[in-house]
């Protein structure tokens, strides 16, 4: 005979499900009901049984398993009313490993205020959050605290890039198309013996413009690169044609690592695959490697290139100008994002910047949320191939 799960145990299961949702694991009310019913047929005094039962119901994707294990350990360790459940059998092996990349997000989810707060307190917190958001829009990434960077990261994860589409050379059936589809028209007329001819038409196929990002990971660019990687991860979900390369003293392709669904896991994979993070800068050498090994693979079909760097090259010579010109000629549009543009009196005095500027289509800042939103607006519309006029935008 089973024992109904009620009282403090049921409240803890509901609270745990709410914490999982806040940490990014989709858990609906139906799953909570299933979990309560499942706990009636297991030994709730056995920690491993409870862990396995809740994991089987709440986790539907592989990338959510580590987040669930971390949340389970933190939540029920703090829940004294369930202490008898946590002192029995140890957790499975994968729950006792090193905390996953999303552990910080789990801790923030568990520390969120309870829903029982008064409406006055919630309204006051809302006013403060609106004011803080206005400040964060203009605040430099390099001047933010850890808490502010966490807020900006969550804001970036919610950003969406409109599908600016390119018209390809391929055709598809389209009732409003301008080209006659002779094959489908004749095939349709055979059904009526040629008495009635239904004209079929073709229209051009539109596809999202590919985006190729080259990110500088030298010491002066660390804060900006990490947050921009969050932005690239956010837009990669909707746009599959996004290629990402990191460069310092060498070039590293992190496109596959950034495709992990969980943003923290994706950035952890990128960091693990790079050996020269926060090191020196060799822009010319890195661009030469990209143009030679990857240019033809990823720059086809009207790709837009985002170059994120401060341009402080220690080996600025004619090679840098040559590789920049080659990159510019190989893509539809080259946008240089430079955090040094945050200074109002910025002038291109460094030799590397002088050599790179003539070969870009747009020169934009990338130091705060406003500059990223400006970039989204710029990417939403695709101008003709290489209008050659240098556009400098300040945010």
């Amino acid at each position: 005979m089973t024992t109904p799960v009620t009282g403090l145990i049921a409240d803890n299961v509901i609270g745990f499900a709410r914490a999982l949702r806040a940490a990014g694991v989709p858990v609906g009310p139906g799953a909570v009901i299933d979990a309560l019913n499942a706990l009636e047929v297991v030994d709730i005094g056995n920690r491993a049984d409870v862990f396995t039962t809740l994991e089987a119901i709440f986790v539907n994707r592989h990338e959510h398993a580590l987040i669930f294990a971390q949340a389970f350990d933190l939540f029920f360790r703090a829940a004294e009313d369930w202490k008898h459940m946590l002192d029995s059998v140890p957790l499975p092996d994968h729950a006792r490993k090193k905390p996953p990349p999303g552990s910080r997000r789990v801790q923030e989810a568990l520390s969120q205020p309870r829903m029982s707060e008064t409406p006055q307190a919630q309204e006051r917190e809302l006013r403060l959050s609106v004011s803080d958001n206005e400040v964060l829009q203009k605040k430099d990434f390099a001047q933010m605290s850890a808490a502010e960077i966490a807020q900006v990261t969550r804001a970036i994860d919610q950003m969406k890039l409109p599908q600016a589409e390119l018209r390809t050379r391929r055709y598809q059936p389209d009732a409003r198309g301008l080209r006659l589809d002779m094959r489908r028209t004749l095939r349709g007329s055979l059904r009526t013996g040629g008495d009635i001819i239904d004209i079929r038409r073709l229209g051009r196929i539109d596809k999202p413009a590919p985006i190729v990002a080259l990110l500088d990971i030298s010491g002066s660019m660390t804060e900006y690169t990490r947050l921009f990687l969050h932005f690239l991860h956010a837009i990669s979900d909707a746009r599959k044609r996004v290629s990402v390369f990191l460069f310092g003293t060498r070039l590293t392709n992190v496109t596959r690592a950034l495709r992990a669904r969980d943003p923290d896991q994706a950035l952890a994979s990128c960091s693990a695959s790079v050996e020269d993070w926060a090191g020196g800068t060799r822009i010319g050498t890195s661009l030469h490697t990209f143009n030679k090994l990857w240019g033809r693979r990823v720059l086809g079909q009207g790709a837009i290139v985002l170059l994120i760097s401060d341009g402080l090259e220690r080996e600025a010579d004619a090679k840098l100008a040559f590789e920049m010109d080659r990159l510019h000629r190989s893509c539809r549009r080259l946008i240089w994002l430079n955090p040094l543009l945050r200074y109002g009196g910025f002038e291109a005095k460094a030799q590397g910047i002088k050599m790179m500027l003539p070969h870009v289509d747009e020169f934009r800042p990338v130091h705060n949320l406003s500059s990223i939103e400006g970039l989204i607006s710029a990417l939403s519309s695709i101008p003709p191939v290489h209008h050659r006029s240098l556009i400098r935008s300040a945010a």
Side-chain angles (χ1 to χ4, degrees):
M1 182 176 180
T2 61
T3 302
V5 177
T6 58
L8 293 175
I9 298 179
D11 292 340
N12 276 285
V13 173
I14 295 173
F16 179 54
R18 185 181 298 117
L20 287 177
R21 283 196 297 269
V25 179
V27 178
V32 175
I33 296 175
D34 292 340
L36 294 176
N37 293 332
L39 290 177
E40 294 179 358
V41 297
V42 300
D43 181 9
I44 61 174
N46 188 317
R47 185 183 183 187
D49 287 351
V50 174
F51 177 90
T52 304
T53 301
L54 295 181
E55 182 185 38
I57 296 174
F58 289 157
V59 177
N60 296 319
R61 293 179 178 177
H62 174 72
E63 59 269 17
H64 294 157
L66 292 177
I67 299 295
F68 173 88
Q70 181 73 6
F72 184 92
D73 185 48
L74 293 175
F75 186 89
F76 292 121
R77 182 190 302 168
E80 296 296 335
D81 297 312
W82 274 35
K83 185 175 178 59
H84 64 283
M85 292 179 52
L86 306 180
D87 296 332
S88 180
V89 181
L91 287 174
D93 292 337
H94 69 277
R96 291 186 276 107
K97 292 181 180 179
K98 181 180 179 181
S103 60
R104 176 181 56 81
R105 192 167 77 244
V106 173
Q107 294 176 357
E108 292 175 355
L110 294 179
S111 63
Q112 287 183 354
R114 298 294 183 183
M115 300 300 292
S116 58
E117 291 184 350
T118 62
Q120 292 81 2
Q122 294 180 0
E123 182 179 358
R124 181 169 62 254
E125 183 180 353
L126 179 61
R127 289 199 301 268
L128 291 175
S129 63
V130 172
S131 177
D132 291 341
N133 287 337
E134 293 178 355
V135 174
L136 288 179
Q137 288 288 329
K138 300 295 183 180
K139 193 168 185 178
D140 195 319
F141 292 148
Q143 299 175 356
M144 291 183 177
S145 64
E148 290 173 333
I149 290 179
Q151 295 181 38
V152 169
T153 300
R154 288 192 293 268
I156 290 176
D157 289 339
Q158 300 300 321
M159 290 183 175
K160 302 297 181 182
L161 181 62
Q163 296 288 319
E165 296 183 339
L166 291 175
R167 178 150 295 183
T168 67
R169 297 181 180 180
R170 297 183 178 274
Y171 289 86
Q172 65 181 356
D174 186 354
R176 298 182 180 181
L178 301 179
R179 184 171 180 174
L180 176 64
D181 188 351
M182 184 63 70
R183 177 179 297 180
R184 293 176 63 240
T185 299
L186 294 178
R187 185 178 299 170
S189 65
L190 293 177
R191 300 173 184 173
T192 61
D195 296 335
I196 301 176
I197 300 179
D198 185 12
I199 303 297
R200 306 295 179 90
R201 299 182 180 277
L202 294 172
R204 289 284 183 91
I205 298 177
D206 295 335
K207 289 186 176 181
I211 293 179
V212 179
L214 301 171
L215 283 72
D216 188 345
I217 55 174
S218 60
S220 59
M221 291 291 299
T222 300
E223 293 296 335
Y224 305 101
T225 299
R226 286 187 181 277
L227 291 174
F228 201 80
L229 278 174
H230 273 282
F231 167 70
L232 292 175
H233 179 269
I235 67 174
S236 296
D237 291 339
R239 305 172 71 103
K240 300 303 180 184
R241 303 204 298 174
V242 177
S243 303
V244 183
F245 298 82
L246 304 181
F247 68 89
T249 57
R250 67 192 71 180
L251 184 75
T252 305
N253 185 359
V254 296
T255 303
R256 181 171 298 179
L258 201 63
R259 286 177 181 170
R261 291 183 179 272
D262 185 83
D264 294 320
Q265 183 179 356
L267 265 68
S269 299
C270 291
S271 300
S273 60
V274 175
E275 300 180 359
D276 56 341
W277 195 287
T281 309
R282 292 181 177 175
I283 303 177
T285 303
S286 300
L287 291 181
H288 172 73
T289 303
F290 174 81
N291 290 330
K292 182 179 180 180
L293 301 180
W294 296 100
R296 292 188 177 182
R297 303 185 192 183
V298 299
L299 293 182
Q301 302 180 356
I304 300 174
V305 176
L306 304 178
L307 177 62
I308 299 91
S309 174
D310 52 14
L312 302 181
E313 168 69 289
R314 63 181 182 180
E315 299 177 355
D317 51 19
K319 178 181 178 181
L320 175 60
F322 174 81
E323 297 299 340
M324 280 293 298
D325 179 65
R326 181 179 176 182
L327 176 64
H328 187 211
R329 294 176 183 274
S330 301
C331 64
R332 169 177 290 267
R333 189 176 174 193
L334 178 55
I335 302 177
W336 184 6
L337 306 173
N338 193 329
L340 294 180
L341 282 179
R342 66 184 184 273
Y343 301 115
F346 171 80
E347 296 182 5
K349 294 183 178 180
Q351 188 66 19
I353 298 178
K354 290 182 179 179
M355 291 184 172
M356 295 169 66
L357 267 180
H359 307 289
V360 301
D361 296 308
E362 296 188 29
F363 195 33
R364 291 180 167 272
V366 60
H367 63 288
N368 55 23
L369 277 177
S370 295
S371 61
I372 294 183
E373 291 176 353
L375 174 63
I376 291 177
S377 300
L379 293 177
S380 300
S381 59
I382 300 179
V385 180
H386 289 324
H387 43 78
R388 294 295 180 184
S389 60
L390 177 62
I391 301 175
R392 174 178 173 178
S393 173

